Structures are given as C-alpha cells and as structure tokens.
Amino acid sequence: MFKKLMTVAAGVVLAGGLAACGSDGDGGSGGSGGAGGSGGSDEITMGFAQVGAESGWRTANTKSIQASAEEAGIDLKFSDAQQKQENQIKAIRSYIQQKVDVIAFSPVVETGWDTVLAEAKRAKIPVILTDRSVDSDDTSLYKTFLGSDFVLEGEKAGQWLVDNAKTSDTNGDGAIKVVELQGTTGAAPAIDRKTGFEDKIAADDTIEIAASQTGDFTRDGGKKVMESFLKSQQDIDVVYAHNDDMGLGAIEAIEAAGKKPGVDIKIITVDAVKDGMTALSEGKINFIVECNPLLGPQLMELAKKVVAGEEVPERVVTEETVFDQEQAKAVLADRQY
C-alpha cells in the first residue's frame, strides 16, 4: 500500500500554505545517541517528536515510523507531544542535547518554531518535517518536508460537493447548508483543508458554510461539535470533517438525533483510515479524500540521505486518491490502516 512519491525540484520555497495529511514523554528512549556520541558507530539515531495519538490516522503514522526505523536499522527516540507545542519543543531540545544525528517531527501548529529549529541548526543537526509544515520565512531551518498537499485534499472534497450539489441538497430548498468540523486550530491540515474546500465551493453560490468549529481531530470532539450544530443549525445538508475521526463522531451525534448519516445529512471526510472506509462502505459517509499515513519508509530513506550530506528535494509529496462507496468496498479488505 505504500504510495509512490512525486518530488518537486529543489529550489521550490516551501510555504505554510502548501502543506500540508512506545512514548516516553519528553526525550525518547534514553541513551546518548548520535554518531558523535556513540563511539564511532555508523548507526543513525533519530529523534522523532510526534503530535500525539489523537486519531486512527496518527496511530497508523506512528506505527509506520516505528516499524520502518527498526527495519532500516535506525535508533529511534520517540516522544508523544499530546497535541501541545510546548511538549514538542521540549522534546526537540532534548534531542539536541543528546546529539542525535537527525530530528524529525510533525508540528502541532504551523508557527512558533524558528527559535528551536535555529538551535538545531547551530548544533548541525538536520531537521525533517513530516506530515505538517511550518510557517517560516527561513527554509534553511529544515532540510525537507515529507507529506500530503492539504490544500489539494480540501479542493478534492470541495469539488466532489460541487459535482454532487443536486443530490447533496437533502432538504430540497435549493440551498446546500454545510457545517464544518475543523482540525486543531493553527494546524497546517486544518488551515489548508479549509482553504482548499472554500476555494472549490466558491464555484457554486448555492453552497454555504453555515457553521465551522474545531473538533481537534478527535472522534469525541467531532461528536460534541456536531451535537451543538444539530441544536443551533436548522436544515443541515452536509458535514465536511477535516478527518475521519471527527466524521465518525458526527455520525454518532446524527444517529442519536434520529437522522440517517449519509442520507439525511451527507458526510465528506479526509484520511481513509479503516474505520472511516468501513463507514463509507456502509453509506454512512459519502466521500473520503485519502491522506496516506504510511510515511515511515520514505522518512527513513530521507534521513539516511540528509545524514550522509546528500541533496534531497525541499518538498516530497505523497500521491493519494479519493473513495466513494463502491471504491471503498473494493479495497476495504486489504486496507492496512
């Protein structure tokens, strides 16, 4: 299921708008790490600061990174930031102190990274961004960014709605009322998936986002926000959720309100994790835009190259697809995540 990568030539400036799809807290699994502190060993030590474990997608992403590091012979020091930027910064500083060979992380939010990344640069430790970008004018602070094009994901979701506008008007009043479940405030996928979606639905003036609120990328958050929307908004036609988990939470709220998800209220989500694909195959979700979490093999390949001083593209984009109900049925049995 590993996707092919398509690379953008070196020299492309990565902007925040492009981006981005076994924890022991602050500093990983202990040990000095790094080629400089390992008695001349050729083994690469990577410090990885993960966002958290907020969704099925993130769990699959973590497992891919951990398994791929082991397979590649890379000593992985892993930390879980629990969706808090201060925890990631603390972990990165710990990795710098341990003199790891390379640091990789998926930023909780886009801004506020220049200081700690400059510290890594002064320590001559290369940094790789995975899954999410940072909003910084100084692109020398990291070597490359591996992940999805979140704006494109939002555009795919919006285009589906434009193409299926007539059947999405579940209330038959000539207007398509959308409620949006946003990801974590300030996170690249939340910003970009919203931007891409809005850009596409602008082509149809019958489509309107009536309410938009963060569900923090969690199933419980999606459920609670959807419960609130069902009370405050009349005649909702469509739910656009920035990830599957929030969409699955919305399904629970819709069913509890006596409505049929996928029929009375159409649902569009992003990720294509197995639980989301199952709901899609059952008709409870109508359309899913894929965001591939299995970035581990590509990350380890990039890590070996940057540690060796080789040139790498400034941007590596994962190739992804979309799914409707029949397509989900066809691939569900073989889904790895």
Side-chain angles (χ1 to χ4, degrees):
M1 291 297 293
F2 298 137
K3 304 296 181 181
K4 293 181 181 178
L5 298 177
M6 60 180 182
T7 59
V8 177
V12 174
V13 177
L14 173 62
L18 175 66
C21 213
S23 165
D24 36 327
D26 316 338
S29 55
S32 61
S38 57
S41 170
D42 291 333
E43 183 180 55
I44 293 172
T45 300
M46 172 188 286
F48 187 89
Q50 182 62 284
V51 172
E54 75 281 4
S55 64
W57 191 99
R58 189 64 56 192
T59 299
N61 179 243
T62 291
K63 288 180 179 178
S64 174
I65 290 164
Q66 292 172 331
S68 298
E70 183 175 358
E71 184 176 345
I74 290 176
D75 178 19
L76 181 69
K77 298 181 181 298
F78 184 89
S79 65
D80 180 341
Q82 300 178 332
Q83 295 182 275
K84 295 180 180 179
Q85 184 179 32
E86 59 267 31
N87 290 346
Q88 277 194 318
I89 291 173
K90 185 178 180 181
I92 291 169
R93 286 187 169 135
S94 174
Y95 297 147
I96 294 170
Q97 291 171 357
Q98 293 176 63
K99 299 181 181 179
V100 301
D101 298 297
V102 59
I103 292 171
F105 75 112
S106 180
V108 175
V109 295
E110 285 191 337
T111 59
W113 299 105
D114 282 23
T115 299
V116 71
L117 293 185
E119 292 170 18
K121 184 179 178 180
R122 285 194 296 272
K124 297 182 179 179
I125 300 175
V127 173
I128 299 173
L129 305 178
T130 71
D131 173 41
R132 301 179 179 184
S133 71
V134 298
D135 185 4
S136 174
D137 293 330
D138 186 358
T139 57
S140 73
L141 295 175
Y142 52 89
K143 292 296 184 181
T144 185
F145 166 48
L146 165 67
S148 303
D149 185 336
F150 296 142
V151 173
L152 180 60
E153 290 172 354
E155 289 175 348
K156 290 176 180 178
Q159 188 61 56
W160 181 87
L161 183 54
V162 170
D163 293 342
N164 293 272
K166 290 184 179 179
T167 56
S168 298
D169 180 13
T170 57
N171 292 293
D173 57 7
I176 301 168
K177 190 173 185 178
V178 181
V179 294
E180 181 180 32
L181 300 175
Q182 292 188 51
T184 303
T185 302
I191 295 167
D192 295 344
R193 287 171 184 166
K194 181 177 181 63
T195 297
F197 185 78
E198 289 178 343
D199 286 349
K200 284 297 180 181
I201 64 171
D204 188 334
D205 58 12
T206 67
I207 303 172
E208 174 196 8
I209 298 178
S212 183
Q213 186 175 324
T214 180
D216 214 23
F217 283 128
T218 68
R219 193 173 303 198
D220 185 57
K223 181 180 179 181
K224 288 178 179 177
V225 174
M226 191 64 208
E227 287 172 344
S228 174
F229 285 160
L230 288 166
K231 292 175 182 176
S232 64
Q233 302 293 326
Q234 298 296 316
D235 300 327
I236 297 170
D237 295 294
V238 177
V239 173
Y240 169 45
H242 288 188
N243 76 342
D244 289 348
D245 279 76
M246 290 189 296
L248 292 165
I251 287 173
E252 294 180 26
I254 291 167
E255 289 179 333
K259 296 179 180 291
K260 291 184 67 174
V263 178
D264 297 328
I265 298 177
K266 305 290 187 180
I267 300 177
I268 305 166
T269 68
V270 181
D271 272 354
V273 298
K274 198 156 191 174
D275 284 353
M277 293 287 278
T278 299
L280 177 58
S281 70
E282 295 169 347
K284 294 183 178 182
I285 292 176
N286 302 89
F287 187 71
I288 294 181
V289 179
E290 183 181 38
C291 182
N292 180 20
L294 306 181
L295 304 181
Q298 293 88 351
L299 174 59
M300 300 311 147
E301 181 182 350
L302 287 169
K304 288 180 178 180
K305 288 182 178 179
V306 298
V307 170
E310 297 179 26
E311 290 293 324
V312 295
E314 292 184 6
R315 179 75 167 96
V316 180
V317 183
T318 52
E319 185 178 287
E320 295 154 339
T321 187
V322 296
F323 298 96
D324 60 19
Q325 184 176 12
E326 293 307 313
Q327 290 166 331
K329 288 178 180 179
V331 302
L332 185 58
D334 297 323
R335 204 70 180 156
Q336 292 188 19
Y337 54 89

